[in-house]
Amino acid sequence: MNNRPSFIASGLQARKGLEILALGDYSAYRDICHKVKTSYRPFVREAAGMMAASLALPSDGILIPMPSHLGYATDTLDLCKELSSLTGLPVLDILQGDMRESVHNLKSITGEIPADVSLGLRLMRDLPRGFKPLVVDNVIGTGFTMKSALALIPDGIPCTLAVDYRRCTL
């Protein structure tokens, strides 16, 4: 869609060559990431505008929203719909998971993600051929949920507002 650069897992412990479409480090985009969580339309629209203007989104991409701790996509679905309206990329809401405590809250309480946390992520239908799957989340903090999604969508490209480069492993 545009010629802006994406990150190639620089500054992360990531699998070799993993492309990550992100505006930048979480420390710079923390406020907008938290605002998107409210699903308040002006905030979501602002975030989608920033992503559409700054990220190298492939013209054959398909936006797949990450499910929240409720087990289905909430704010990420809103973000994908706004991004779709700006880019023309289709949205495919096919990832679901188990209802659970948020990974962010668990990490805040214990200082780490408990080893027994299961997201129960599953694909509700097959991905259509001919598209590059863009797995959309508002922030990649630890990489835990994104890793689970990429296990189901091996060719998926993480697409996010921000990455916490200090803590994230993919």
Side-chain angles (χ1 to χ4, degrees):
M1 297 246 132
N2 61 49
N3 58 3
R4 308 273 174 141
S6 60
F7 297 98
I8 304 291
S10 59
L12 298 176
Q13 296 175 20
R15 70 178 192 231
K16 188 174 181 179
L18 176 65
E19 180 179 23
I20 300 169
L21 300 174
L23 294 177
D25 188 71
Y26 177 67
S27 61
Y29 294 95
R30 182 180 187 278
D31 187 50
I32 191 70
C33 290
H34 284 270
K35 286 178 177 179
V36 167
K37 284 278 190 198
T38 68
S39 289
Y40 182 54
R41 193 172 181 101
F43 295 149
V44 174
R45 191 175 299 127
E46 177 187 359
M50 292 168 67
M51 292 173 79
S54 299
L55 299 181
L57 300 173
S59 59
D60 59 348
I62 190 165
L63 304 166
I64 302 171
M66 182 73 77
S68 73
H69 69 281
L70 299 173
Y72 54 90
T74 54
D75 53 296
T76 56
L77 181 56
D78 294 337
L79 183 59
C80 284
K81 287 177 181 178
E82 285 292 332
L83 198 50
S84 176
S85 73
L86 295 170
T87 63
L89 297 177
V91 177
L92 187 61
D93 185 13
I94 60 169
L95 267 177
Q96 287 190 358
D98 296 338
M99 190 173 185
R100 56 177 168 73
E101 181 67 46
S102 82
V103 172
H104 173 76
N105 288 350
L106 288 173
K107 185 153 179 25
S108 296
I109 294 166
T110 65
E112 59 185 44
I113 300 169
D116 61 348
V117 171
S118 171
L119 303 177
L121 289 184
R122 56 199 171 276
L123 288 175
M124 300 313 291
R125 61 178 187 245
D126 291 336
L127 287 164
R129 294 185 186 272
F131 289 97
K132 290 182 182 166
L134 304 173
V135 182
V136 179
D137 207 348
N138 70 324
V139 64
I140 301 174
T142 62
F144 184 76
T145 54
M146 187 58 74
K147 274 192 247 184
S148 296
L150 294 178
L152 295 171
I153 308 170
D155 295 333
I157 300 168
C159 183
T160 184
L161 288 163
V163 177
D164 188 340
Y165 291 109
R166 297 168 299 130
R167 300 182 315 154
C168 185
T169 61
L170 285 175

